[in-house]
Structure formats: structure tokens, C-alpha cells
């Protein structure tokens, strides 16, 4: 099965196309979506196993020789991301069955999710820079649908902003690819890597590197390009927000990590230092935002910004510990942000508001929800046995090895602020006396929402406790990132 | 006052078929000359738009009782199936093949699987364009 690495991309696409035939039959929509996601998840795990045993998998579409066709590359890094994006979507879709109202379900909600997943998985798997652009557009088009679906006033307002920002960044992406193509004359990522290494550190290459950082920075939400993110992400319903928060910014982060380890390695002194400075400022801005708001959604949204900064700081150090830590933290963040959004979604449903000052005392009536939230919050901050610990520890260790003393201390301090912001939600929402007499959520829907949420929290706990088993996978992933020749050789195997 | 659209409606009945045949021609010519699924699909939708201009939405829906979302979905599935056929022969996805066939009337003709992929593109373009125009034009 040489086409195995395409299955996580093709299966969601096929099922999304099938779902277009019967938009009004909600039961059938739900069943087909779940079947499709499970099939894709099985193929993703098979792929993960295959990449672990046989090394980097590549396939050039249409049987053309590598630099001329579109190459799809699945190394450990992309296989891990594809698997975790499928896991998170599975839980969010399960949660959506109860959370999303019928009107939305009848208006192509599930096809939009599956098309977005096609784009996300395609962007993680592709080995061609223009194909990366195309998959970005696939996921963005589907996300436009998801952000505006329902047509509430805030959704309409924020989707205009979101679409304009993304159209500007997409056209910048095309311009950047145009510049890169005029310099190296190829679009295949492995070939670009070889050509740029021969080309050496010329000024224009650094300019293109910065242009790519701007493009992917807008998608990924780094300082000073994150301005659209808090408003736009707060507009759609919580399951959509969970998908966006867990996946979309991470695609931008993935693209930065990929291009900055594969292409732009000739002028590290400038480009990677710029990346490091921006990621530190991103963390600071995220911390300020996370403390400033009394709104559940905004607090967690600003935590996305912090996490993007931490991951990119780990990647910018370019040593082994930093890179492994960054991969660890990236996967952790996909899972934990999904879990947190699902948890606060239940809180918002119960209290009918996302304002922290208007809620309190949920602990008495909903103990299970409270304790799962506490576990997720500790996982987010990185308390040792839980999922956020090992990634951040390795990033800080990498920072000390790279003699970045102050920056590493900053990362440690940011953990305290993350913990403070997450615990503030716990104190205001779950402690104290109950406010507001009635609950907006009946007991059965509460249970139905709680099951997928707790399952996802359990996955994050296993991710933290079982980190030992994941270390070989993470090492493989960071080896490919640190040594581009592994990637290039896999693509050109049997050609040169 | 009711306007009389006799001239435009009569002309449309003739011109529609010319545009339709031209779109089919452009579609089949795409492999060797400029054209292909995308322009072919756009021409086909412009022919239907001409019908919409000459008649009203209801009449056109009675003439062409198509659900354009389904057309889009069928197009997507045809395109995917053509590309995915290669999976069953264990060659890379999107590998196309061609061969020569002796067809009645046309004689020796080369048939390339890229044509079936283009059929998918054609249907998607027609489906999407017509969905947009009907959504904006209709008041449901």
C-alpha cells in the first residue's frame, strides 16, 4: 500500500462529499461522520506505525519523478500531527451531537468539519510549497463556513474580519511563493532545501524567510499579527472554537517550524533570532491577555497565543532538547486546548453566560466537571505527571543549553501566569456560593456532553503519564527537523 | 404593464444550444488546445444564466430540475474516484492511463482517464456557480 500516507487526507474528503447528498437527515449525517473519522483514525495509526518501523514515507503523485510532481511526505512529525488532529476532531464531533443545534446540523455543519480536516491533514502531509498553499485555502474556506454558520450578529461581524485578514495573508503567501520560485526555480520542498543550501546566505533569501514568517505568523497568531484572533475565535459556538483553537493556529506553527528547519537554515543568526524575539513577546502579550479578561473564552484563547509562543521559542533554539520539547508541547497543546474548550463549553451551557463574575459554586452540583477542569488546568500549566510538563521542561532545558538564560526564565514564569489564569476560572466558576438559581442544561444533555469531554481529558492524562513511551516517536520527529538531509534523501530516494 | 420578452426568449432558445455545444467542445478539446473542465463548466453555467435572464427562476427550475448541490457532490466524487482508481493498482495516487479504442461513428479514439477527472471538475464548476446564482437570485 504505497498510498497509505494519503488516506488520512482522502477519507475525510470522500466522506464530506458523501455527506453533501443528504444534508437534512441528521442521524445519517452523524453516523457517516463518525464512521469516516474512525476509518481515518485507523489509517493514521497504521501510518504512524509504518513511519516508526520504515522511516519517512514519501509518494509523488501521478508517478512523476520527485521534483516534477507533487510529493507528499509523511515523516514522524507530520504523522503525529495528523493522528492528533483526527483524535481531537473525533471528540469534538461527538460533543457536537449534543451541543450544536439542529438548524446548524442541517446546514452542512459536518461536511464543513470534514473538509476542514482534509485541509489540515493535507497541510501537515504535503511536501510541495504551493500544494501547502492550496491545502491552507481548503481549510480556510471550510473555516469561513464554520465561523459564520448560524448567522448571529457577532458571527457575521467577526467573520468579515477573519476573512479579510486571511485573504490578505493568503495573497502574501502567493507573493512569497512567487519570490521563492524566482530565486530557486522549484516548488518541491526537498528540492528547495537543496537549492537554497547551494545558493547560500544571500540577502533575498533572508527577505523571503521573513515574508514567510509574516504569512504563517498571521495564520498562527504570533505577535504582532495575532490581533484578529481573540475576537474571531470567540464568535462561533464552542465546538467550532475548540477545533479552531486546537488545529488552525497549529497549522501555522507547523508551517513555520517546517520552513525554518528545512529551507531557511543559512542565516540562522538573523532569522531564528527574530523568531525567538517574536515568540517571547508573543508569550508576554498572551499572558497579559489571559490575566486581563473575566471572560471564559477569552482567557483560554489568550492561552493559545501563549502556547504558540512557547512552541516557536523551542523551535527557534535549534538544538535537540528544544526541538523534542517543542514537538511534545505542540501535540500536548492540540489535545489540552481541545479539552479545555469542551469543558468551558459545558460551563457556558450551564450558566448561560461566559462572564466569570456571573457564575459561582458549580462544584456542589457538578463535582465531576469541576475535577476534570482542575486536571485539565494543571495539565495546561505543566504540573509534573500531566501532559504539559515534559514538553516545557525540555524546551527550558534546551534554552539553558543554548545559553538563553533570561528567555528560559521567562518561559518558566509564563507557566505561573498560565496556572493563575486557569485557576482563576476554577475559583470564580466552581468555588463559592451558587449564583443564579436555575440551570440551562438538563441532566441527560449534561451527561452526553461530559462523556466525550472526560474521555479527552483522560487522553491528555495518558499523554502525560505515558510520555516515556512517546519519547522514541518524538525523537524521530525532531531528528528529521534538525537534519533536513533525512527529509531530502527520503524524497529523492532512487532518483539521484 | 407586462413586458413582452418574445425576442429575447426566442433568441435564447437558439443561442442556449450553441453555447451548450461550444461548452462541450471546449471541454473535449482541453487536452490538446486551450480549454478544459473549468472553462467548459463556466460556459455551461453562463448558458443557464442566459436562460435565467430570459425566463424566471421557476421556469428554469422546471426545465432543468437539478439540485446543484448534488451536482457538486457528484462532481467531487467522480474526480476523487478517478484519481483514487490508481490506489487499486498500487501505483501512486493520481496516476492516469490512456488507450485507443474503436468507437462506433468516431473511429479510433484515445481515451484518457484525465478526461473523467475533468468531468468531475466540469460538474463541480457548474454546480457551484449555479448554487451561488440561485441562492442570491432566489428569495427563499
Amino acid at each position: 500500500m504505497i498510498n497509505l500516507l494519503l488516506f488520512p487526507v482522502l477519507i475525510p474528503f470522500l466522506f464530506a462529499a458523501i455527506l453533501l447528498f443528504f444534508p437534512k437527515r441528521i442521524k445519517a449525517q452523524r453516523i457517516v461522520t463518525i464512521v469516516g473519522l474512525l476509518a481515518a483514525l485507523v489509517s493514521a495509526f497504521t501510518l504512524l506505525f509504518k513511519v516508526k518501523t520504515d522511516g519517512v514515507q514519501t509518494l509523488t503523485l501521478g508517478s512523476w519523478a520527485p521534483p516534477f510532481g507533487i510529493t507528499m511526505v509523511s515523516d514522524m512529525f507530520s504523522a503525529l500531527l495528523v493522528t492528533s488532529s483526527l483524535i481531537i476532531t473525533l471528540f469534538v464531533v461527538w460533543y457536537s451531537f449534543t451541543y450544536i443545534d439542529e438548524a446548524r446540523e442541517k446546514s452542512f455543519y459536518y461536511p464543513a468539519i470534514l473538509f476542514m480536516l482534509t485541509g489540515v491533514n493535507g497541510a501537515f502531509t504535503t511536501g510541495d510549497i504551493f500544494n501547502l498553499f492550496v491545502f491552507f485555502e481548503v481549510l480556510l474556506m471550510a473555516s469561513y463556513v464554520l465561523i459564520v454558520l448560524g448567522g448571529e450578529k457577532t458571527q457575521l461581524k467577526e467573520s468579515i474580519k477573519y476573512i479579510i485578514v486571511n485573504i490578505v495573508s493568503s495573497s502574501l503567501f502567493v507573493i512569497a511563493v512567487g519570490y521563492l520560485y524566482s530565486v530557486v526555480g522549484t516548488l518541491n520542498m526537498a528540492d528547495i532545501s537543496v537549492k537554497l543550501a547551494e545558493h547560500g546566505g544571500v540577502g533575498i533569501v533572508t527577505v523571503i524567510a521573513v515574508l514567510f514568517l509574516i504569512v504563517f505568523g498571521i495564520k498562527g497568531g504570533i505577535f504582532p499579527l495575532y490581533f484578529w484572533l481573540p475576537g474571531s475565535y470567540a464568535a462561533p459556538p464552542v465546538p467550532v472554537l475548540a477545533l479552531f483553537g486546537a488545529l488552525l493556529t497549529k497549522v501555522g506553527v507547523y508551517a513555520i517550524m517546517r520552513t525554518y528547519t528545512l529551507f531557511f537554515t543559512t542565516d540562522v543568526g538573523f532569522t531564528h533570532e527574530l523568531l525567538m524575539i517574536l515568540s517571547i513577546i508573543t508569550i508576554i502579550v498572551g499572558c497579559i491577555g489571559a490575566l486581563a479578561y473575566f471572560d471564559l473564552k477569552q482567557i483560554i484563547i489568550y492561552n493559545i497565543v501563549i502556547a504558540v509562543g512557547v512552541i516557536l521559542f523551542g523551535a527557534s533554539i535549534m538544538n535537540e532538547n528544544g526541538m523534542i520539547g517543542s514537538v511534545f508541547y505542540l501535540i500536548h497543546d492540540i489535545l489540552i486546548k481541545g479539552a479545555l474548550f469542551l469543558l468551558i463549553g459545558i460551563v457556558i451551557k450551564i450558566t448561560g453566560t461566559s462572564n466569570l463574575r456571573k457564575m459561582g459554586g458549580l462544584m456542589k452540583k457538578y463535582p465531576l466537571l469541576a475535577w476534570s477542569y482542575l486536571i485539565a488546568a494543571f495539565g495546561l500549566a505543566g504540573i509534573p505527571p500531566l501532559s504539559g510538563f515534559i514538553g516545557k521542561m525540555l524546551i527550558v532545558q534546551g534554552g539553558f543549553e543554548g545559553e538563553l538564560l533570561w528567555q528560559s526564565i521567562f518561559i518558566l514564569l509564563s507557566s505561573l501566569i498560565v496556572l493563575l489564569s486557569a485557576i482563576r476560572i476554577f475559583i470564580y466558576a466552581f468555588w463559592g456560593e451558587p449564583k443564579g438559581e436555575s440551570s440551562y442544561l438538563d441532566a441527560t444533555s449534561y451527561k452526553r456532553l461530559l462523556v466525550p469531554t472526560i474521555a479527552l481529558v483522560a487522553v491528555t492524562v495518558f499523554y502525560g503519564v505515558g510520555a516515556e513511551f512517546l519519547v522514541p516517536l518524538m525523537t524521530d520527529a525532531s531528528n528529521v527537523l534538525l537534519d533536513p538531509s533525512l527529509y531530502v534523501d527520503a524524497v529523492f530516494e532512487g532518483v539521484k | 404593464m407586462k413586458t413582452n420578452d418574445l425576442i429575447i426568449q426566442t433568441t435564447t432558445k437558439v443561442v442556449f444550444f450553441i453555447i451548450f455545444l461550444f461548452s462541450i467542445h471546449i471541454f473535449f478539446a482541453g487536452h490538446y488546445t486551450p480549454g478544459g473542465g473549468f472553462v467548459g463548466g463556466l460556459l455551461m453555467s453562463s448558458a443557464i444564466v442566459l436562460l435565467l435572464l430570459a425566463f424566471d427562476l421557476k421556469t428554469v427550475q422546471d426545465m432543468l430540475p437539478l439540485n446543484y448541490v448534488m451536482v457538486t457532490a457528484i462532481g467531487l466524487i467522480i474526480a476523487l474516484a478517478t484519481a483514487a482508481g490508481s490506489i487499486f493498482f498500487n501505483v501512486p495516487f493520481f496516476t492516469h492511463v490512456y488507450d485507443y479504442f474503436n468507437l462506433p461513428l468516431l473511429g479510433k479514439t484515445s481515451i484518457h482517464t484525465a478526461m473523467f477527472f475533468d468531468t468531475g471538475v466540469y460538474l463541480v464548476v457548474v454546480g457551484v456557480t449555479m448554487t451561488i446564482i440561485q441562492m442570491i437570485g432566489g428569495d427563499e
Side-chain angles (χ1 to χ4, degrees):
Chain A
M1 275 319 273
I2 54 171
N3 287 302
L4 178 67
L5 76 158
L6 287 174
F7 280 22
V9 186
L10 295 182
I11 293 174
F13 182 71
L14 173 69
F15 278 82
I18 292 173
L19 286 175
L20 294 180
F21 284 104
F22 41 86
K24 305 289 172 212
R25 295 170 61 184
I26 295 175
K27 262 225 169 89
Q29 290 266 319
R30 290 175 179 175
I31 294 168
V32 172
T33 312
I34 283 289
V35 169
L37 285 172
L38 285 174
L41 195 58
V42 169
S43 72
F45 274 116
T46 322
L47 177 64
L48 199 63
F49 186 70
K50 178 111 172 145
V51 173
K52 180 65 205 149
T53 48
D54 301 351
V56 182
Q57 299 289 307
T58 66
L59 178 83
T60 307
L61 300 185
S63 306
W64 303 104
F68 305 115
I70 293 172
T71 310
M72 301 296 270
V73 185
S74 199
D75 59 354
M76 188 47 93
F77 187 37
S78 83
L80 282 169
L81 286 167
V82 163
T83 314
S84 34
S85 73
L86 282 165
I87 291 175
I88 204 82
T89 315
L90 185 69
F91 284 111
V92 170
V93 164
W94 183 6
Y95 185 86
S96 303
F97 292 165
T98 325
Y99 202 94
I100 292 290
D101 50 300
E102 285 198 358
R104 281 194 173 91
E105 282 183 299
K106 282 181 180 167
S107 319
F108 303 103
Y109 174 75
Y110 296 114
I113 285 186
L114 288 185
F115 277 126
M116 194 178 94
L117 193 62
T118 312
V120 170
N121 283 348
F124 286 148
T125 317
T126 188
D128 183 286
I129 194 76
F130 197 77
N131 201 230
L132 180 68
F133 168 76
V134 174
F135 277 122
F136 260 110
E137 287 305 301
V138 171
L139 75 89
L140 285 173
M141 293 282 168
S143 74
Y144 300 156
V145 175
L146 286 173
I147 203 170
V148 81
L149 193 66
E152 290 158 26
K153 201 176 170 192
T154 48
Q155 282 186 306
L156 293 172
K157 200 176 91 193
E158 293 300 335
S159 65
I160 292 278
K161 194 162 91 187
Y162 181 74
I163 290 171
I164 289 174
V165 165
N166 277 303
I167 285 176
V168 169
S169 90
S170 292
S171 28
L172 271 180
F173 194 174
V174 176
I175 292 166
V177 170
Y179 281 147
L180 187 63
Y181 186 70
S182 68
V183 171
V184 294
T186 178
L187 292 170
N188 183 302
M189 279 156 69
D191 205 27
I192 294 174
S193 172
V194 174
K195 295 264 166 63
L196 279 180
E198 287 167 4
H199 207 266
V202 190
I204 186 74
V205 178
T206 310
V207 173
I208 295 170
V210 174
L211 203 49
F212 268 104
L213 185 62
I214 293 171
V215 170
F216 297 137
I218 296 179
K219 316 266 186 201
I222 66 173
F223 177 86
L225 306 164
Y226 73 97
F227 56 89
W228 56 273
L229 193 144
S232 299
Y233 275 22
V238 171
V240 177
L241 168 61
L243 272 186
F244 282 19
L247 295 178
L248 292 195
T249 50
K250 306 305 180 296
V251 184
V253 172
Y254 165 83
I256 291 176
M257 284 174 78
R258 185 61 86 194
T259 49
Y260 271 62
T261 54
L262 194 59
F263 300 172
F264 307 116
T265 48
T266 45
D267 191 12
V268 179
F270 181 79
T271 52
H272 288 58
E273 193 163 334
L274 178 69
L275 180 62
M276 189 186 71
I277 294 166
L278 288 182
S279 59
I280 293 293
I281 305 178
T282 309
I283 296 172
I284 297 172
V285 172
C287 288
I288 294 171
L291 290 182
Y293 283 92
F294 267 88
D295 184 288
L296 283 174
K297 286 184 184 174
Q298 293 296 340
I299 292 173
I300 310 291
I301 287 171
Y302 275 100
N303 271 299
I304 302 175
V305 179
I306 300 176
V308 166
V310 173
I311 297 163
L312 287 179
F313 173 73
S316 72
I317 309 168
M318 290 293 269
N319 64 18
E320 203 185 336
N321 278 327
M323 200 60 84
I324 298 181
S326 196
V327 178
F328 248 114
Y329 203 76
L330 182 54
I331 310 281
H332 146 77
D333 197 60
I334 290 179
L335 297 172
I336 200 80
K337 287 288 143 55
L340 279 170
F341 279 122
L342 298 190
L343 284 162
I344 65 161
I346 301 180
V347 174
I348 290 171
K349 272 269 165 165
I350 290 173
T351 55
T353 170
S354 66
N355 188 341
L356 270 183
R357 289 201 179 90
K358 288 184 185 156
M359 52 181 79
L362 293 177
M363 180 75 118
K364 281 177 190 146
K365 222 174 153 191
Y366 305 98
L368 209 49
L369 179 67
W371 292 116
S372 344
Y373 178 80
L374 194 66
I375 292 170
F378 282 165
L380 178 73
I383 307 278
L386 296 167
S387 59
F389 169 66
I390 186 141
K392 210 173 259 182
M393 187 194 77
L394 287 168
I395 289 175
V396 170
Q397 197 181 337
F400 283 134
E401 279 168 12
E403 294 179 343
L404 300 164
L405 186 65
W406 284 110
Q407 289 88 331
S408 309
I409 291 174
F410 246 110
I411 302 279
L412 292 172
L413 289 178
S414 78
S415 291
L416 283 179
I417 294 182
V418 167
L419 184 64
L420 179 61
S421 71
I423 285 302
R424 237 160 42 117
I425 295 183
F426 188 73
I427 291 172
Y428 277 91
F430 293 102
W431 278 3
E433 287 307 308
K435 282 182 195 168
E437 59 288 351
S438 67
S439 157
Y440 292 82
L441 194 68
D442 59 287
T444 45
S445 333
Y446 169 67
K447 272 179 203 144
R448 281 195 199 141
L449 289 176
L450 201 59
V451 173
T453 312
I454 288 186
L456 189 54
V457 174
V459 170
T460 69
V461 172
F462 284 128
Y463 182 81
V465 176
E468 192 79 40
F469 300 104
L470 296 169
V471 169
L473 305 183
M474 302 297 170
T475 320
D476 280 9
S478 75
N479 281 344
V480 178
L481 290 175
L482 288 168
D483 184 3
S485 66
L486 289 174
Y487 187 97
V488 173
D489 290 346
V491 171
F492 288 116
E493 196 186 8
V495 176
K496 281 192 172 164
Chain B
M1 193 186 86
K2 195 179 179 301
T3 46
N4 196 337
D5 297 337
L6 185 70
I7 295 179
I8 188 171
Q9 288 184 351
T10 320
T11 324
T12 299
K13 279 174 196 164
V14 180
V15 170
F16 173 78
F17 283 101
I18 298 174
I19 302 177
F20 177 63
L21 290 176
F22 186 53
S23 117
I24 300 290
H25 167 73
I26 282 277
F27 169 71
F28 279 113
H31 201 79
Y32 294 106
T33 53
F38 186 77
V39 253
L42 277 186
L43 268 172
M44 180 63 209
S45 1
S46 64
I48 305 176
V49 170
L50 184 63
L51 281 184
L52 284 171
L53 288 176
F55 302 92
D56 59 317
L57 200 60
K58 185 82 177 53
T59 324
V60 176
Q61 269 167 358
D62 289 342
M63 279 188 226
L64 293 167
L66 292 172
N67 181 342
Y68 290 103
V69 176
M70 301 284 175
V71 174
T72 314
I74 292 169
L76 281 178
I77 292 202
I78 290 176
L80 182 63
T82 317
S86 49
I87 290 175
F88 298 102
F89 299 98
N90 208 28
V91 287
F93 187 72
F94 254 118
T95 304
H96 287 296
V97 288
Y98 69 96
D99 206 350
Y100 291 93
F101 295 94
N102 269 315
L103 299 179
L105 290 178
L106 293 173
K108 190 182 169 200
T109 313
S110 77
I111 291 182
H112 196 294
T113 46
M115 192 194 76
F116 299 111
F117 185 77
D118 247 13
T119 315
V121 175
Y122 186 97
L123 292 177
V124 168
V125 172
V126 172
V128 168
T129 320
M130 292 319 296
T131 311
I132 294 172
I133 288 170
Q134 281 196 349
M135 283 279 174
I136 298 174
D139 42 359
E140 268 185 282

